Each structure stands twice: as C-alpha cells, then as structure tokens.
Amino acid sequence: MEAPAIFTEAEAYQRSFNPQEYLKAFYTLSDSQGQPNTFLIKSLKSLHKMFSLEGLSGQTLVDVGCGPTIYQLLSACEHFQEILALDYTDQNRRELQKWLKNEAGAFDWSPVVKYVCELEGDREKWAEKEENMRKKVKQVLKCDVTKANPTEPVSLPPADCLLSTLCLEGACKDLATFRSALRNIGALVKPGGHLVLLTVLRETYYAFGNQVFSCLYLERSDVEEAVRAAGFDVRFSEVQPHPPGDIRADCDAVLSLVARRRDPGTG
C-alpha cells in the first residue's frame, strides 16, 4: 500500500476514522491466520517494563491520544489512583466509553488483559484488573495536541505522569509541530513528574480497512531532542526493531521512552 502524499488532517480523523476496524486490525493478540501480533506483544512488554521503573507512580496519570484503546493503561493503572483519557475524535472517545461502561458490543480486551496479568505474575487477576481499570478512568476528554492547552476549554491540574502512545506521530505534520506538541502536552505534567512515550520510528503511513493515514517520519534522536527541549530529562530509552513485511504500516522500529520533567529552578 502506498503512503499518502499528503498529511492526514485532524478533520479527516474526525470524519472517517473507524475505531472498530482499527481495533480489529491492530489489537487482537493473534491474526486471522493465528500468527501472534508481535507489534502489540512487544508494546505490552515495553509498557510493563517502563511502568516497573522506580518512581513511576502517583495520584494522576493523563493519557494523551488514547484512541479507542486501553492496552496502554493496563500496566499503568497499577501505579496511579486516577486516569484521565484524552483523544481528539468523538468516535474514539465513544468507543472507549463503551468498554468502560461495559456496554454490549464493546471490544473484547480480555485476551490482552490476561496477557498483561501474566507479565505481572498472575493471569487469573484479569477480571479484577478490568474492574480496577474501569474505576480508575475518571474522565474521557477531547484534546488537541497542537493547542497550547490541549484540553481547552478545560484546564487540568498538573499530573504526576503523562502517557502518550502512537499519537504525536500521527497528529503532527512536521518536526516543528511535533516539538511544539510535546511542549504543549509536557506542560500538563508537574515538575518532577514523568512522561512515558511509545513512538514508531521511520514510519510514513499506517493502514486498515480501506484507509491510509499519514505518519511523521521520526528518528530516535528527533524524539529525544524534542523531549529535552520540552523540559524533560530522559531516564530510559530503548529501540526495538519491527520486522519488515507488515502490510499495515511501514515502521521499522519502536521507541520506548521515559523522561522526568525538570524543576524550573534547576536550569
């Protein structure tokens, strides 16, 4: 599939992004041929590893660009008391609410939840984890990472941790926008708080159904420099290669990164 020659604008997401198709394409543990979903499995392992780092806990976690998914919160929810989930498109937020309210027709996350419970040492706690998660997600809000206050007109109190997975590279048309978006979302974190990122590298598109969405081509150094420029010190950074031949996207690696927000008084 060819990459789109033009940037996929926010309006295109709002108009035509189909959360159910997206979930089916990317978030089952194995595909229709029974092959394991290595991208998802590696992401779950990376998130588990990052949220096991010392000091990565607190009262509030904000998830920026949550999409219709919960996989990114499964390890995080053990370390924070409340979670705010933010996304641009109405249909993604609705889809997420469907799961949170345990409505009929919601996506079945239980295989993914069981897998994460296994990583944590007890697969049998999956139902408890689902219940815990539903209690902890307090709000699902609209956000736009290109705005100085991404949740405008709502102002959020500074959070202990900000999580963003596979969001900014889809939302930003160039490196300058990416750097500015990181500053915007970085401002949602209190000094000493953490930023946790999962970002695809060297990707120009991803596709599912009959749709193709653009992706900002990023190198590891682009992301690390933007994180530092947004006022954070990188604590953990790891790149994992993504095997070629995936028709859904042309990314060739995934970056997991944890950074701590500097105190304004410390240079």
Side-chain angles (χ1 to χ4, degrees):
M1 197 167 273
E2 281 301 298
I6 53 163
F7 171 64
T8 309
E9 298 285 350
E11 286 65 41
Y13 273 90
Q14 175 69 345
R15 193 175 57 245
S16 60
F17 191 88
N18 183 323
Q20 289 93 350
E21 290 287 331
Y22 174 70
L23 290 168
K24 259 190 300 206
F26 289 98
Y27 293 103
T28 52
L29 275 183
S30 55
D31 65 18
S32 50
Q33 280 81 48
Q35 293 301 307
N37 182 346
T38 52
F39 186 89
L40 176 59
I41 288 166
K42 279 184 177 177
S43 298
L44 295 171
K45 284 180 174 171
S46 293
L47 287 158
H48 175 249
K49 186 174 182 176
M50 291 192 286
F51 281 104
S52 302
L53 291 173
E54 199 184 330
L56 218 63
S57 61
Q59 178 65 25
T60 309
L61 175 129
V62 173
D63 179 12
V64 174
C66 58
T69 66
I70 64 153
Y71 77 95
Q72 72 281 12
L73 295 168
L74 293 169
S75 293
C77 78
E78 300 300 321
H79 305 278
F80 294 88
Q81 298 316 304
E82 56 176 33
I83 294 168
L84 307 181
L86 317 180
D87 198 73
Y88 183 81
T89 68
D90 301 343
Q91 62 271 34
N92 278 348
R93 296 196 308 279
R94 269 199 307 272
E95 189 66 31
L96 177 59
Q97 291 277 23
K98 213 190 278 185
W99 185 86
L100 291 170
K101 292 174 179 167
N102 214 350
E103 288 175 14
F107 186 73
D108 179 14
W109 284 102
S110 58
V112 174
V113 179
K114 286 171 186 170
Y115 182 82
V116 173
C117 287
E118 208 168 285
L119 291 177
E120 291 170 356
D122 187 357
R123 185 181 170 87
E124 295 314 307
K125 290 184 86 165
W126 69 272
E128 194 183 311
K129 188 189 264 294
E130 286 197 348
E131 195 183 332
N132 192 16
M133 178 92 131
R134 288 187 168 108
K135 282 189 186 134
K136 284 190 176 180
V137 179
K138 304 294 186 195
Q139 284 181 287
V140 180
L141 299 171
K142 186 175 178 76
C143 85
D144 182 344
V145 297
T146 63
K147 289 184 173 171
N149 171 14
T151 54
E152 179 186 294
V154 178
S155 286
L156 298 179
D160 297 293
C161 184
L162 185 86
L163 167 67
S164 190
T165 56
L166 314 178
C167 162
L168 297 181
E169 56 271 49
C172 301
K173 65 176 183 291
D174 53 33
L175 202 47
T177 313
F178 179 79
R179 291 171 74 95
S180 139
L182 254 177
R183 279 197 302 276
N184 297 341
I185 67 170
L188 301 172
V189 185
K190 60 176 66 163
H194 285 91
L195 169 70
V196 178
L197 290 179
L198 198 67
T199 306
V200 285
L201 300 180
R202 298 183 284 279
E203 177 169 300
T204 63
Y205 78 91
Y206 67 99
F208 60 92
N210 293 317
Q211 294 182 292
V212 187
F213 295 88
S214 66
C215 190
L216 178 62
Y217 184 97
L218 291 166
E219 296 286 358
R220 178 187 199 160
S221 56
D222 297 328
V223 181
E224 290 182 354
E225 282 163 22
V227 165
R228 282 193 284 267
F232 289 82
D233 294 319
V234 177
R235 272 189 65 189
F236 170 88
S237 173
E238 183 177 75
V239 171
Q240 290 193 311
H242 183 59
D246 189 338
I247 54 164
R248 300 169 305 175
D250 63 347
C251 98
D252 75 356
V254 180
L255 170 67
S256 315
L257 182 144
V258 178
R260 192 166 176 272
R261 187 162 186 207
R262 289 191 286 274
D263 283 314
T266 57

